[in-house]
Each structure stands twice: as C-alpha cells, then as structure tokens.
Amino acid sequence: MASQKKCPVPTLAAGDNRHGFRILRVEQIQEMRITAYEMEHEKTGARILHLHCDDRENLYAIGFRTPPTDSTGVPHILEHSVLAGSERYPLKDAFNELQKGTLQTFINAFTYPDKTVYPVASQVKTDFFNLARVYTDLVLHPRLLKETFFQEGHHLTFSNPDDPTSELTISGIVFNEMKGAYSSPDSLMYKIIQENLYPDTAYAFDSGGSPDDILMLTYEGFKAFHRAYYSPSNARIFLYGDIPTEEHLAFLKEMLAGFDRIEIDSAVSSQARWKKPSSIHGTYPIGKEENPGKKTAVNVAWMLAENTDDEAAILLQITSGILIGSAAGPLRKALIDSGLGEDLSPVSGIERDLKQIAFVVGLRGSDPEKASQVETLILDTLKNLAESGFDRELIEGTLHQVEFHGKEIVRGTYPYGIVLMGRVFHTWLYDGDPFAGLNFPGIIEKIRKKWDAHPGLFQEIVRKWFLDNPHRLLSVLEPDSAYQSEQEEAYRQKMAAIKAPLSGEELEKIRRDAEALKTFQSEPDKPEAIAALPKLQVMNISRDIERIPTVKTAILETPAMVHDLFTNGIAYLDLAFDISDIPEELQIYLPLLGKLMTNMGAAGLDYEEMAKRIALKTGGVGYHLSAGMAKDGKKTWQRLIFRAKALYRNVGDAVNIISDILNAGNLSDETRMRDLVYERKNGLHAAVVPSGHIFARRAAGASLSIPAYRDEQWHGRTQLKFMNHVSGQFEKNKTEIREKLDRLRKMIFTKERLYLNLTADGDGLSLLSDAAAELVRRLTSRGSVGNQGIPDMFSGHVGVTIPAQVAYVAMAFPAPTYADPLSAPLLILSRQLSSGYLYRLIRVQGGAYGGMSQYDPASGIFAFLSYRDPHIVKTLDVYHEAFDFVTGNRISPDELEKAIIGTIGALDRPMDPSSRGYVAMMRDFMGFSDEDRLNFRSKILDMTPESLHEAARDYFTEAEKSAVVAVYAPDESLRKANETLNVKLQMESLA
Ligand SMILES: [Zn+2]
C-alpha cells in the first residue's frame, strides 16, 4: 500500500529511447502519488503504460483487443486455453501449476465484451517477474492443443461415458460456466441490454459464449482467432507499482523479441445513433412452482457519449451518481416510491467497459404490463429535473463521494493496480488518452469550478444525453417457469438430432475420443515440464509475520483498539456490539436490524435527508454480522458491527451520524421499511446462482458449529426463506417486525456490549477518539451481557432446488480451530486438494467450472465444493475418494514446497488500511495473538511430507463419518441423484 505523499522522481523523459522502447509521455499525478509513463515498443508497436508509485504490490497485465464476430465464445475459450501451456512450458495446465507455488497476490484472466486481459501481481520482485515471464510466454506462444480446446471449449460424450447407446451430451468447462451465467437473472438482464443497445457492433455478440452457439466453434476457428489478435502489435501492457520503469523495459525487450510489427484490424466500431427509441423483451428461468407475479425487471438504457470523450464521460458518471447513487437520488426515489416494482434493478448505473458508454436504470420485482408506466415515470422525472434543477446538497454529496473514493486506498479482493487498470482501459482501448481518467481528485476540482461558473451544468447534461437522445432501449425481462424445462427439452432434441444420423462406428469414435481425452487429462505432466516453471523456495520466504500496529485502550469505560496507520486522510470507526446472548427467536432478525438502522431516518430526519447527510459527510455507513470460534475451539463470539468512514475534516459529523442512527433511529416509516425488506429479499435471491457453492457450504456446515449455524441463519437459505416470509405478507407482519427490532435495539445498543475499533494516522486518531467519546456518552447503559444458549441446530443432508442449468455440490465436516496442532497441516491440505485432486477430477475431468476445498479454522469447518457443476452423484463420489486420496498418498517434497509457498502467499495477501484495522479486531475476538500467528506460520514453513500425511490420516478418517452434504441444483437433477444415492437428500425449495 502507498505510504508516502509524493510521486516518484521521473527517471525517463519523453523522447528517450531505452531497450528498443520510445518514451512518448511522462506525467506526474501528485494527487495520486503516481508518475505515469506512456511508451511504445518500436519494433512491434506494442503499447506500454507504467504507473510508477511506492506500492510494493506490483501488477503486470497484458491485454488485447478481441471484438467477437459471433457468440461462440471464442475470446473466452481462448482466455482459458492459452494459459494451459506453451512450447517453453509444455504443461497441460500451466495456470494451475503456476498458481500452486507462488506468492502471487493476484493471478487471473478476464474476457470483456471487446478485450481480453491477463493480470498477475506479487509483492515479491523475483516472484513478480517469474509470473510475468510465464504469463507473457503463455499468451504469446501457447500450444493450443486440440485436447485443451475440447476440455475448455466443448466435446461430445455420453451420459454414461462407456456406453454409446446412452444420451449424447456436450461437455466443456466454458460451456458449463456459461450455462451457469445463463441461469442468473442479473447476467441475462445485462446481456439483453448490451446486445440490443449496440445491435450493429461487436457488442451484439456474447464474448463469453452462448451455450447454444459454443458448439459451432471449430478448432481451426479457435486457432485462427489467436493468430489474428494475440500479437504484440495488438497488445496493451499495463504496469503498476514500485519497480523502476527501466527494469520493466529490459524484461519486456526480452519477452517481445522475435515479433515484427503487423497490421491488425481490431478496432471496435461505434454504433450509429438511432433516430428513435427501441424496445426488447426477454425471459429468465424461475422454479416450476414459483409465482411469476412481481418478478419482472424493467430497465431503460441509453447509449451515451464515446468513452474517449473523457469530459462528457466523467460528467455523465457524476450525473448518474446524482440521479441514483444514494437513497436521496431523485430518479431512484421516484422509482422506489412509485410502487411499480420492488427495488432498483441491479444493472442500474453507468457502464464504461464499452466503446460508447451506457446508462441503465429500472426496477426489479415489477410486472410486464407496468413496463410503459416505468418508462414514462423515468422520462417525466428526468424532464422535471431538467426544468427545475437539482438540490445543491445532492450534487455536493455526489462530488464528495467521488472525492472520497478517489482518495481512499482500497484493496478488496483485487489489487489497487487493477482498479487503475480498469480506468485506463476505458480510454486507452479506444485510442484515447490513457491518463484521462486517472486523476480523479484533479478532475473533480475542474468539474466543481465548471459547475460554480455554470449552475445549470447538470440540467444540461440531462437534457442533452437523456431527454434529447433518441438512442434509448426499453428492456423487459420476464420470469418464465417453463424456461428451464424448455431449454432442457431443446437441448435433448438437439443432441438426439445430432446423434440420430451417426453410424455405430461414428458413435464408437466419439466414445474413443472422449476416452482419449480422459486419458490425456489423467496423465501427469512430465517432470521436466514442471521443472521448467520458475519457482520460489521455502528458504527464501520470510519467517516473520506482518504485524498490525495495535494499542488496546478504553474510551471512557468502553474497550477500544487503536491502529495508527497511514490512511491518506481517511478515518475508520468500527462499533462491534456483542450479540452472543440474543434470544434464539430474535437472531434471524439481526441482518434486518442492520439494514434498516443504516437506511432509515434518524434524529428527526427522514430517510432521504439522512441519505443526503451520509453522502455529504461520510464515505459510507455499513453493518456486518460476524461469528467465530475462539482459537481454542471452546468458546464462540458473535458481533453486530457498524462501520463508518470519513475524511478527517468530517470525522465529528460522521460519528454524529452513526450516533444518531444508534440512539435516535426511527423505524416508523412503513413504506421505507417495506422497500428495504424487498431490496434485501431480492438481493439474496439474485445471489444464489452466482454464488451457489457458498450457499451450499452454508447449508452443509450449519449443523456442525455455532458460527457456521449463524452464517446460514444470517446469510444463507434460512435467511432467504425468512425474508420471503416477511416480504410476502408485509402488511400482516410489519407490526411484529417493528416490535422485534425495537426490542433488539434496546437490548443491543448499550455501552456494555460495545467494543470500539479505530483506524487512522495520529491526527485522525485524535479526532476519532474525541468523537467516539461523545458517542459512548450518549449510549444507554443496561446491565451486563448474559450467557449464550446453544441453538437447536438442524442437521441432515439437503437438496435445494434452484432454477439453474447446473449444480453446486458441498460436503462439510467439523474441523479444528487455530490452536489445534492439526490446523496448520489442514490449511496446506485444503490448498493441495483445491489445486490438485479436486481441481483435476471436478473441473478438468468433470467439466465443472470449479472444484475446491475450503478450510476455515475461525468457524471450525472443512468443506469440499463444486461450482457450476454438471454432476451431483459423480461429484459426491469424487469427494468420498478424496478421503482415500489424502489418507493414502504421501505428497512429494516438491509438491509440498509449492503447497507451503501457496499457503503462505494466501496468508500474506496484502490488505488496505481499513481491512488491516478490521482484521486486527477479528483476531482479537478470536484470541489469536501475533505470537500465535508466528507459531502457526512456522508450523506451515516447517511441514514435512510425513507430518502432513500423518495429520491427514488423523483428521480425515474421522471427518468422513460426520460429513454433511448439501446440493443446490435443478429439481430434476436432484430427483435423479436421489435415485442412486444411498443417503437421500432431503428436498427443499427456496420458496
Ligand atoms: Zn471462464
């Protein structure tokens, strides 16, 4: 993370030549502490950007423009396949092999609608160049074997692979991945808008692949696409971090050697603007017994400015923030208040990953006959705004949000370099100025001045880009309970039609080819090929841990933790309330309490006024429910945590806001409450298909530990069903809800339950403690926290039916916590299983998009999971065999070394300042001290094949006996699975 306030001194100047690269431009962006270089490789024309700063998490990404000309998914299948192996690294799955033994902090590949990007990141220089070297070689010189194409793309096989008389089916990882994507209403919603808003361009096709069209891709077409686009002359290489520019250039010189400049036509064409608006209808799957009422999504989309018109693009982004960015946004509010739907559609907002940017807004939970009303409402609202103008505070709040987020150092699941890469590509990909969108603070300054001089600025934007812009699409996505079965039937017929004319000999050939592929997949790589990959050694890894500066103190009487960290002028406050003794019947209401408290009115202000206040003075106010085991596994802890963050100048106001929410929150606005209930229910529903494996793991783990039980109750299907119940009869339930929530907040928001956590640097911390003291003073005091009861945890194997074309299969078993000597070996084993056994059998051979294992010592659960899986029974067999595999096989020293490095890499994942403060608090709840962490790390680093094997036998022999299974899958697949399973799955629906 960046920790200084200056940008690096430039070491090269425009016009310089180094290692065959011409320096085109050098710019210092003081506000971002970045020195930016734009360069070109003279021989090939490869374009290079380096954002030099003091972040030691360096990022390398090579990207190509890859606009598709059909929906066979060739860019996506290629994205998977190039990473399989190259001449220099002739492996079957170089990506997986590479991932095993590095300290990478990020390694991935992305297919966008018009580009394909391959990023890697590491905090260790040797590791970084190892990764970048292999990645570049794979991308530019892949083997693209036929077997890889079959495995990643598609191949024919039989439902019983040995029997050519059984049904003919298609298998392929991308094929199954996309079947999953085509079951998610959110993905389908986005897809029909993109394809129909730009009907005459590459965006009319799905670069990911439509399951119907993937089959049409040939091996020759696949290789031709690589030849056409994967050349340095079509490449854009993005570099970020503290490694000096010259070192990158020396490295790139070597990597680009041997290539010449070639002419490539990869330009993305613009969509001609329509003369009049258009509309489109689509459908998505719901369960057979589900009621289709209030399940339609109605969206209105506009094609706006070219991305390269950076001023218009930024102004439109801000306008979108004003219109729908907060609960006070007038367009959002008009839609929600209209009652024409349940909540804002999840695709609402600005989309910049396209040549011409789009704005989408709409409602989810609506009905098809209301579509034109929704459209009229949107247009009327915009018309009124263009005429009467915007509330000044609303614009101020939006500008503040942009300022805040431009300033905040964020490192969520992605490195910060990825965030900046995204911004750069918005213009760079279309031959615009790559630096245009980087300097957010500077841009905001400019826009503020413009707005001051010209108060009607945003009204004009609304007029020009929305009201007077005929390129508008009304999109209606309706639920269809027959969708699923029709798709299945169509697939069956299609496969039968392919099969019918085939002779016995031809069928036998399909069987033999599929068998040959399986043989290829199960053969180990040649040792020389594995040895060709550069790798780190355990002895080069630091034995020390990174400590998070922490001082334990008290604010008034309330225990507090203080972290003095560089946060770039932003202060973070966590308020963690102990909820371990909350009566069982109220536990399920806790997420709703968090949601409503942070989104309703308080202290005499209604929700809209509160939302404005939050946008003006904070970077967001949120909540979180968390539970875990103490490190010794004897006790558990449970907390409801509120978080607020603010620029230093706003700390007092921000803490006041959270204090008002806790002490003077107002839950009486029933309409708002109902809207928030719908929003939560719809959000949970939409999350099932994209993260079905997590839902399945929650269901399987729920009977195994109290923290896992809470996780299911607060975030799993139990919560979803509860929200269905609450929203289904809201009028009947509302009084009871309010009464329960009132009881809860009186019980919870007291001094005795509170634990404070403060993160900022010295100046920020003193502001924060003063403000926090005020907050504590205002909280009531109501006796002590009682003892925790043990919940009555349900158990048994479940099969949850979902409207999807694929399955998610989880098996969970109780596992030890951190203090147990088994925890270190189990962490290594879960990693080894994820990248080895399960990866190979579930993904490579089974054709599922993912197969993995997860071990969480904090909740005491070990699990096997599959993602977008075409199988259920077969996958469960693989899980059972996994027990034999780990207990029966001893890992080789080489493999162990990789697993150790990979495990350490995951433990050392960099965190942004706010997460560091948060994680320190979580460790404290667990009682996991730095001393313990050091110990744990040593145990991992010193692991031997013998002790790992011994631990595997000790644990897994017993674990298998208490395994619990949960499967999320389509109804028919579950029924079929139950015909053969010994232990039946108890069928359930989400309704
Ligand atoms: Zn993919």
Side-chain angles (χ1 to χ4, degrees), residues 80-102 107 131 134-135 137-139 142-143 148 151-152 525 529-530 533 839 898:
H80 280 233
S81 303
V82 297
L83 298 178
S86 63
E87 296 310 329
R88 187 167 301 163
Y89 308 109
L91 293 145
K92 279 186 302 194
D93 195 339
F95 174 76
N96 182 49
E97 208 50 55
L98 188 64
Q99 200 178 13
K100 278 186 192 168
T102 101
I107 179 166
L131 290 161
V134 179
Y135 243 48
D137 192 70
L138 292 172
V139 165
R143 289 203 291 175
T148 305
Q151 172 183 307
E152 302 296 329
D525 279 312
I530 296 178
L533 282 179
Y839 182 89
K898 279 189 218 159

Side-chain angles (χ1 to χ4, degrees), residues 108-152:
N108 214 327
F110 300 116
T111 305
Y112 292 84
D114 54 15
K115 64 179 181 279
T116 313
V117 185
Y118 299 84
V120 285
S122 177
Q123 304 181 96
V124 178
K125 198 172 174 181
T126 331
D127 195 40
F128 171 82
F129 279 116
N130 283 350
L131 290 161
R133 173 175 301 277
V134 179
Y135 243 48
T136 316
D137 192 70
L138 292 172
V139 165
L140 293 177
H141 308 278
R143 289 203 291 175
L144 300 182
L145 299 178
K146 218 167 189 163
E147 288 86 350
T148 305
F149 171 69
F150 291 154
Q151 172 183 307
E152 302 296 329

Side-chain angles (χ1 to χ4, degrees), residues 9-22:
V9 178
T11 51
L12 297 165
D16 283 357
N17 255 291
R18 285 291 185 291
H19 305 291
F21 294 86
R22 203 147 44 88

Side-chain angles (χ1 to χ4, degrees), residues 696-717:
R697 188 204 61 205
R698 286 185 181 124
S703 61
L704 302 174
S705 82
I706 292 177
Y709 174 78
R710 293 289 178 230
D711 188 29
E712 162 66 27
Q713 192 179 32
W714 294 335
H715 309 117
R717 77 192 193 290

Side-chain angles (χ1 to χ4, degrees), residues 933-971:
R933 290 174 56 221
L934 257 179
N935 230 319
F936 188 68
R937 188 181 185 90
S938 300
K939 278 195 217 148
I940 289 172
L941 287 169
D942 298 336
M943 191 63 57
T944 62
E946 292 71 34
S947 43
L948 191 71
H949 188 217
E950 201 175 307
R953 271 191 314 217
D954 279 358
Y955 174 67
F956 285 104
T957 316
E958 277 306 305
E960 188 172 11
K961 295 175 196 156
S962 13
V964 182
V965 171
V967 181
Y968 275 56
D971 183 76

Side-chain angles (χ1 to χ4, degrees), residues 76-77 79-80 109 111 152 173-174 177-178 208 843 849 868:
H76 184 193
I77 296 171
E79 176 235 290
H80 280 233
T111 305
E152 302 296 329
I173 293 171
V174 168
E177 179 186 345
M178 295 315 293
R843 178 173 158 120
Y849 184 35
R868 296 190 180 169

